[in-house]
Amino acid sequence: MRPPPALRAVPGQGAPRVIAVACALLALLGPAVAAAQGDGATVELGLGGNLVADAWNPVRVTVRDAAPSVLRVRIDEGSLLEGPRIVRYSANLPGGSGVTVFDDDLFVPTFRTLSYTLVSGRTVLASGSLGAGDADARPLDVILSGAPGRWRGAFGSDARIVDVAASDLPARAAAFDGVRTLLVDGSAAAPRAESVAAAASGGVQVVLAGPLPASQAQLGRLAGRGSARLGVGEVVRVAANPRAVRAAMAGWQPIDRQGMVQALAAERLVQPPRAPGQPLMLSLAAAYVLVTLLGLRFGGTPGLVAGLVLAAVIAAAGWRLLRPPSAELSASSTVLIGGGELALALQVDERLTLPSGEVTLPRAGRPLSPLPYAVEDGSTRVELPRWHAVAVAAHPELRTSALRFEGGRLVNTGREPLHGVYVLGLGRQPDLPAGASVTPGPGEEGGMAPPLARLAALLPAGTALASAPAAVWVALPPLSQEGSP
């Protein structure tokens, strides 16, 4: 990887002068540099320090012998026309002796500026910033090999190729949101099977090139007889040459996870409280006016007072009877997409606030509309005007798949019955009670509910969909059956 421009050597006759100036600066700043190194704090944003815009990215902070500290990230995703729109992220890190490692995931939008600071009390342990030129939305192709240069010919000229150490691979599916391919050839240190499974389940194509050593036999079992679904991605074994890797990548059709989230939020999840109908309001107003006029006609001043008291009583009773049960209304929708034993949960939470104020969600997420927001210690806060709603895509998570294909049969391994079972290309199937299974066969096609139809448009033929009380389960077909239900 090329070093940042600020760290490149200056060729030519100016190099000795630059070195002399750098030595003078180091002599002046020696105590400060030593203190920073003594703190032993590093902040890494992105996989191997490579950020992918408009995707979830891993965050890793390493501190040594430090007091409790706070990591703060400030992202400006605004524009010259709209002005600044700030995203804030903060996390509290415990202190202690020895080395402390903090891992998390952060959604990074396309930004104008990004800056971070790691602060302990009044001491800045680490800081840095990025500009708009660093907001690259191209996915990463990750190589895990003792000789990564051997495989670069398998990727296109515009690919973002990253070679990392096995220890750099996180074990969270969301951390691989910006990764397209993970290539493992067995010549480097063995990665954790949990990290490789998380990568595949999150939507990555894991390519195992050539025979693997005995220390990495677990990875081979993930691929089954040659290739296998795992979550939203796949694990495939190929020959140990760039041409075979290139052919495998060309045949891979990833699931559009961002499109699935948009499909969940296409319809409003929270319905605003219904106001009384206009005819009812006009009738009540006419009745009140009539009663007030009769009171004035026959009661004089006491009648006027009675009319005012009646108005106050009606207003109080109407407010108690017609007001919503809460000042903030909420609803959520979840789709769980699985292949094999694991499923990726994509959830959209919607909040509607009647008075203006701050809406707080208990999970990390990102608003699907352009709004400033903050993520603090795993919760999301958004400021909203009165009678406004916001849909927030939650941090993706892995779960055990309840709906899956096993030996040609569709199985419900969960504890809840599944209704509206539908296989794309075959049609409706019988409902599946908990623990039941069915061999998919031709059924009535069409007639899917709009939410399911929007999801189905993004899935391959042979995929099964089913509705549970709080979610939609999706079972991707085995790779050998995709496209031929």
Side-chain angles (χ1 to χ4, degrees):
M1 295 173 55
R2 298 175 65 188
L7 300 180
R8 295 177 191 158
V10 181
Q13 298 180 354
R17 182 178 301 175
V18 172
I19 295 173
V21 173
C23 292
L25 289 174
L26 286 174
L28 292 173
L29 301 176
V33 173
Q37 292 175 347
D39 289 331
T42 60
V43 177
E44 187 175 83
L45 303 179
L47 189 59
N50 296 272
L51 279 178
V52 180
D54 296 324
W56 291 90
N57 287 262
V59 177
R60 170 166 288 187
V61 181
T62 305
V63 294
R64 182 188 298 274
D65 298 328
S69 55
V70 180
L71 172 66
R72 296 188 179 95
V73 181
R74 183 183 185 275
I75 304 173
D76 182 0
E77 60 167 339
S79 65
L80 294 177
L81 294 177
E82 299 175 353
R85 187 167 62 242
I86 307 302
V87 176
R88 289 183 171 85
Y89 168 91
S90 66
N92 290 290
L93 282 67
S97 60
V99 177
T100 301
V101 179
F102 169 82
D103 287 308
D104 199 4
D105 302 312
L106 169 65
F107 186 86
V108 178
T110 299
F111 55 85
R112 288 197 299 175
T113 60
L114 183 152
S115 61
Y116 65 87
T117 56
L118 179 64
V119 181
S120 178
R122 295 184 178 181
T123 304
V124 177
L125 303 180
S127 64
S129 63
L130 299 172
D134 299 300
D136 195 338
R138 291 177 300 163
L140 303 178
D141 293 306
V142 180
I143 300 177
L144 195 62
S145 170
R150 173 190 179 190
W151 302 105
R152 294 182 184 271
F155 304 90
S157 58
D158 62 339
R160 294 182 65 187
I161 302 174
V162 179
D163 52 281
V164 299
S167 58
D168 291 334
L169 295 180
R172 304 177 308 278
F176 293 93
D177 190 36
V179 178
R180 177 175 60 179
T181 306
L182 172 61
L183 173 63
V184 181
D185 68 358
S187 62
R192 291 180 298 168
E194 294 85 350
S195 297
V196 176
S201 301
V204 175
Q205 183 190 36
V206 177
V207 179
L208 307 179
L212 298 178
S215 61
Q216 302 185 26
Q218 282 186 312
L219 304 184
R221 286 194 285 271
L222 293 176
R225 298 181 179 178
S227 62
R229 289 269 189 199
L230 190 60
V232 190
E234 73 167 8
V235 183
V236 57
R237 302 195 68 161
V238 301
N241 63 77
R243 181 178 300 177
V245 173
R246 187 165 53 247
M249 293 176 57
W252 168 238
Q253 296 294 328
I255 301 297
D256 184 2
R257 302 183 295 280
Q258 299 289 351
M260 301 290 282
V261 171
Q262 294 293 337
L264 285 178
E267 289 183 358
R268 196 164 191 172
L269 302 178
V270 176
Q271 297 301 322
R274 295 181 60 183
Q278 187 175 12
L280 175 61
M281 295 301 294
L282 291 176
S283 300
L284 293 175
Y288 171 72
V289 170
L290 179 60
V291 171
T292 303
L293 290 177
L294 290 175
L296 287 173
R297 173 66 177 83
F298 297 105
T301 301
L304 177 60
V305 174
L308 294 177
V309 172
L310 179 62
V313 172
I314 292 175
W319 171 248
R320 293 183 62 87
L321 293 175
L322 300 178
R323 67 176 181 175
S326 172
E328 182 180 309
L329 306 179
S330 63
S332 65
S333 181
T334 305
V335 59
L336 298 105
I337 314 167
E341 298 182 356
L342 295 175
L344 184 68
L346 303 175
Q347 180 174 324
V348 173
D349 292 307
E350 187 172 88
R351 296 291 189 273
L352 170 66
T353 177
L354 304 183
S356 60
E358 182 180 274
V359 173
T360 302
L361 290 89
R363 297 176 57 186
R366 61 178 182 95
L368 296 178
S369 50
L371 291 169
Y373 66 99
V375 177
E376 297 181 351
D377 288 323
S379 63
T380 307
R381 297 187 295 105
V382 187
E383 292 279 349
L384 289 179
R386 62 190 301 267
W387 284 86
H388 275 67
V390 61
V392 177
H395 177 270
E397 295 180 349
L398 284 183
R399 300 187 190 173
T400 302
S401 182
L403 182 67
R404 67 184 75 164
F405 286 95
E406 292 183 357
R409 296 181 65 82
L410 190 59
V411 183
N412 176 9
T413 61
R415 299 179 180 180
E416 298 177 331
L418 299 178
H419 304 283
V421 182
Y422 196 102
V423 176
L424 301 182
L426 291 177
R428 294 187 178 278
Q429 307 296 315
D431 290 347
L432 285 174
S437 65
V438 65
T439 300
E444 180 183 354
E445 296 196 47
M448 297 180 69
L452 290 180
R454 285 191 295 269
L455 295 173
L458 302 171
L459 298 168
T463 300
L465 299 93
S467 297
V472 174
W473 286 95
V474 174
L476 297 172
L479 292 174
S480 59
Q481 298 178 11
E482 185 173 328
S484 57

